[in-house]
Amino acid sequence: MQVTYISDPTPGGVNDDFVIAGERFVVVLDGATQLSASGCIHGVPWLVARLGTQLATSLATEPDTSLTAILGGAIDRVCAMHADTCDLSNPDSPSSTVALLRHSGETVDYLILCDSPMAIETTDGKVQAVTDDATSYLPGYKPDDLRLTRNQPGGFWVASTKPEAAEHAVIGSVPAAEVRRVALMTDGMSRLVERYGWSWSRLMDVVENDGAAAAVRAVRDAERDTTPGTFRGKQYDDATIVLCREFGS
């Protein structure tokens, strides 16, 4: 599997996204911006680095374990790393979205938790968008709204301090012989499609033909031309995209 990626921080900011890849797997995380006191002495980059490393280790060494179990186990192990120093019962504990891809020989398996989507293009040219759209149905998007609905029934689920969040992920498999290319990304990149009207195919074409940096330039140009308040969420965001190709066995 050939993997190309880029991860670019918000202009002038620190990158809370995280990417790690191997011969047969990809992990993409988007750490949530810390909005208030979290009860945790660590920052979001600490969480995504450790969660990403735990996920990569399991994906590389446990090929027969389900992606749901891999995610739940990784969350549990990261919790154990700071349970003695931090208040893990705090609803504002550092958290992250998760997008996983694993090439298991005959299949391409995927998992999405929260709003880091994936686009799968098959050999017949069709594109399937894989999304977890739970945040689209929240009653509000202010910090208090998120605090009350994060990792709660009827709300939305992220990787934070509850391993059971993995049970709420979107999962699936596609025959590897039918896959031409797959793009995993954070919402700072998917906004080219979701805000600015690009197609998933156009986004993948730009990365494949012009390079991943060209996709970052496109999203930064669009963000710069956007009047603040036009869309829900931040004007600028960390932007990460991974393009996977060549799914031969």
Side-chain angles (χ1 to χ4, degrees), residues 4 22-24 26 28 32 61 79 85 87 133 151 156 164 166 178 180-182 187 213 228:
T4 301
E23 180 184 4
R24 290 184 174 271
V26 175
V28 174
T61 60
C79 286
T85 59
D87 177 13
D133 61 354
N151 283 358
F156 69 103
E164 61 266 31
E178 298 178 8
R180 177 172 178 253
R181 57 186 179 176
V182 180
D187 65 342

Side-chain angles (χ1 to χ4, degrees), residues 123-243:
T123 52
D124 59 6
K126 296 179 180 178
V127 177
Q128 172 191 359
V130 182
T131 61
D132 174 0
D133 61 354
T135 57
S136 301
Y137 300 98
L138 298 179
Y141 210 67
K142 295 180 180 179
D144 284 344
D145 299 318
L146 299 178
R147 185 177 300 110
L148 293 173
T149 55
R150 183 187 294 114
N151 283 358
Q152 296 294 328
F156 69 103
W157 294 82
V158 288
S160 182
T161 60
K162 295 184 177 182
E164 61 266 31
E167 300 294 334
H168 298 270
V170 176
I171 58 172
S173 296
V174 182
E178 298 178 8
V179 178
R180 177 172 178 253
R181 57 186 179 176
V182 180
L184 301 82
M185 67 203 81
T186 61
D187 65 342
M189 184 61 74
S190 65
R191 58 180 50 188
L192 279 173
V193 175
E194 296 159 348
R195 284 187 179 184
Y196 301 117
W198 285 39
S199 68
W200 298 112
S201 294
R202 179 185 177 188
L203 179 53
M204 288 189 282
D205 284 345
V206 167
V207 176
E208 183 171 354
N209 299 324
D210 302 325
V216 169
R217 289 193 297 271
V219 78
R220 296 298 178 228
D221 288 345
E223 290 169 330
R224 193 162 43 248
D225 293 339
T226 297
T227 301
T230 302
F231 300 102
R232 189 184 76 173
K234 297 172 284 188
Q235 179 179 3
Y236 293 95
D237 200 358
D238 303 332
T240 296
I241 188 165
V242 182
L243 184 67

Side-chain angles (χ1 to χ4, degrees), residues 9-208:
T10 299
V14 175
N15 196 351
D16 289 332
D17 289 356
F18 184 87
V19 180
I20 189 167
E23 180 184 4
R24 290 184 174 271
F25 70 85
V26 175
V27 176
V28 174
L29 305 178
D30 181 359
T33 302
Q34 205 69 51
L35 300 175
S36 62
S38 68
C40 180
I41 64 174
H42 307 102
V44 173
W46 182 94
L47 172 76
V48 295
R50 281 150 186 81
L51 180 61
T53 302
Q54 291 295 319
L55 288 167
T57 298
S58 293
L59 288 165
T61 60
E62 303 172 28
D64 297 324
T65 301
S66 72
L67 295 183
T68 301
I70 282 176
L71 176 56
I75 295 172
D76 189 49
R77 291 191 296 276
V78 173
C79 286
M81 293 177 187
H82 62 144
D84 292 339
T85 59
C86 305
D87 177 13
L88 302 190
S89 67
N90 190 309
D92 288 322
S93 292
S95 63
S96 177
T97 71
V98 181
L100 304 180
L101 185 78
R102 179 175 62 190
H103 181 203
S104 300
E106 294 185 357
T107 63
V108 174
D109 310 317
Y110 60 81
L111 178 150
I112 299 288
L113 184 67
C114 205
D115 55 359
S116 287
M118 185 180 304
I120 302 173
E121 184 181 76
T122 50
T123 52
D124 59 6
K126 296 179 180 178
V127 177
Q128 172 191 359
V130 182
T131 61
D132 174 0
D133 61 354
T135 57
S136 301
Y137 300 98
L138 298 179
Y141 210 67
K142 295 180 180 179
D144 284 344
D145 299 318
L146 299 178
R147 185 177 300 110
L148 293 173
T149 55
R150 183 187 294 114
N151 283 358
Q152 296 294 328
F156 69 103
W157 294 82
V158 288
S160 182
T161 60
K162 295 184 177 182
E164 61 266 31
E167 300 294 334
H168 298 270
V170 176
I171 58 172
S173 296
V174 182
E178 298 178 8
V179 178
R180 177 172 178 253
R181 57 186 179 176
V182 180
L184 301 82
M185 67 203 81
T186 61
D187 65 342
M189 184 61 74
S190 65
R191 58 180 50 188
L192 279 173
V193 175
E194 296 159 348
R195 284 187 179 184
Y196 301 117
W198 285 39
S199 68
W200 298 112
S201 294
R202 179 185 177 188
L203 179 53
M204 288 189 282
D205 284 345
V206 167
V207 176
E208 183 171 354

